[in-house]
Every structure is written in structure tokens, then in C-alpha cells.
Amino acid sequence: MTREESFMHEAIKLSLTGITSGEGGPFGCVIVKGDVIVGRGNNRVTSTNDPTAHAEVVAIRDACKNLQTFQLCDCEIYTSCEPCPMCMGAIYWARPKKVYFANTRTDAAEIGFDDSMIYDELNCEHASRKIPIIPLRRSEALKVFEEWKNKADKIEY
């Protein structure tokens, strides 16, 4: 078994853990730095009543806590399924160097985890979405952005 296959095997084992423990759906993820697993996660949406508790997000939070950082630039992510749009956003914010996945989003859709509506919605105008996205009080909010822009001691990310 290659190094990559070994880490994917761990992610797949975590996807089974989510089912057998009753914590959530069949998704698992590990985050690796060098040759060490620094973050683990399995889906915990239903057990925590948290719609963001997908395996990748749980693993990112775990890795960032363990590494005491908010970016995972030197890390690789191994996830048992192609990441959903939310997880892809989190992955891009975390900035790993590589992502490996096992099952595809089509495989996930075939067992009831279909994210195609979200992919479609992201291409719609705000007012045309199933959940309308409505701009409000932009001029007030822009003042806070200006404060951030001018803050001398900010931590860039």
C-alpha cells in the first residue's frame, strides 16, 4: 500500500466510524503534515445538530487546533468523498497543498447526498436563488471594512 493509499484508508475507516457510532453520514477525513496525521474528522451533522460538521470541516478544525494555526499550507487532505461546495470553500481557506478523495459527488448523490442544487444556486443572481440573498446597509458595513483596511497590526490571511 502506498503512503497515499494508507492515509486514504484512514479516511475511509473514519467514514465508517460516523455510521457505526451514530454520529452522522458516511464521510471521513484526515489531514496529514509530512507523514503524520494532524487532524481527523468524520461527519457529525446529526449528532451535533450542526449542518457545518462535515468530515472535512471537523478535520480542518482539529488540524488547526493541533498545529496552532489557521492555515494548513504544508498539509494534504484525504477525504472519503469529493468535497461538497461548503467543504471546498473551507479547504480553499485552509490552503492545503493537495486534496485526495475516494468517492465522487455522483456516488454521494446516488445515496441521497446530492449537492447539485447548491452548485446550481451559486451561479444564480442573488434575488433569483431559492433562498433570496438581499443586500442591506452596505454603506454602514463598508466603514468597518475601511477600519480593517487601515488597521496597522492586522494578521493577514
Side-chain angles (χ1 to χ4, degrees):
M1 189 179 304
T2 68
R3 171 188 176 278
E4 289 81 9
E5 289 172 330
S6 177
F7 289 129
M8 183 58 75
H9 176 72
E10 290 301 312
I12 293 168
K13 280 179 23 183
L14 282 169
S15 70
L16 184 59
T17 297
I19 298 172
T20 58
S21 68
E23 291 181 321
F27 304 97
C29 181
V30 295
I31 299 179
V32 176
K33 183 171 184 177
D35 286 324
V36 177
I37 295 176
V38 295
R40 297 175 184 272
N42 59 275
N43 183 287
R44 296 180 182 162
V45 170
T46 57
S47 62
T48 62
N49 294 319
D50 179 355
T52 69
H54 289 199
E56 296 90 341
V57 173
V58 172
I60 288 168
R61 290 173 181 162
D62 188 44
C64 288
K65 180 185 75 167
N66 292 334
L67 296 173
Q68 294 295 293
T69 185
F70 56 87
Q71 292 184 341
L72 302 171
C73 302
D74 296 327
C75 296
E76 299 169 335
I77 294 179
Y78 294 81
T79 182
S80 66
C81 188
E82 183 177 356
C84 75
M86 177 187 71
C87 292
M88 282 306 303
I91 287 166
Y92 274 94
W93 279 113
R95 295 179 174 85
K97 64 182 181 179
K98 201 173 284 187
V99 177
Y100 297 90
F101 69 92
N103 292 318
T104 68
R105 63 182 176 185
T106 303
D107 298 331
E110 289 175 4
I111 63 162
F113 295 93
D114 188 355
D115 297 323
S116 61
M117 183 274 291
I118 298 171
Y119 286 104
D120 293 344
E121 285 286 292
L122 292 174
N123 292 317
C124 291
E125 292 295 319
H126 291 157
S128 300
R129 294 182 180 176
K130 291 183 185 343
I131 301 173
I133 309 296
I134 303 161
L136 188 63
R137 298 186 68 98
R138 180 173 177 239
S139 61
E140 180 181 352
L142 279 173
K143 292 175 187 173
V144 178
F145 273 16
E146 191 66 27
E147 287 287 327
W148 173 257
K149 181 180 172 184
N150 296 325
K151 184 174 172 52
D153 61 343
K154 67 185 167 216
I155 297 174
E156 298 281 349
Y157 60 97

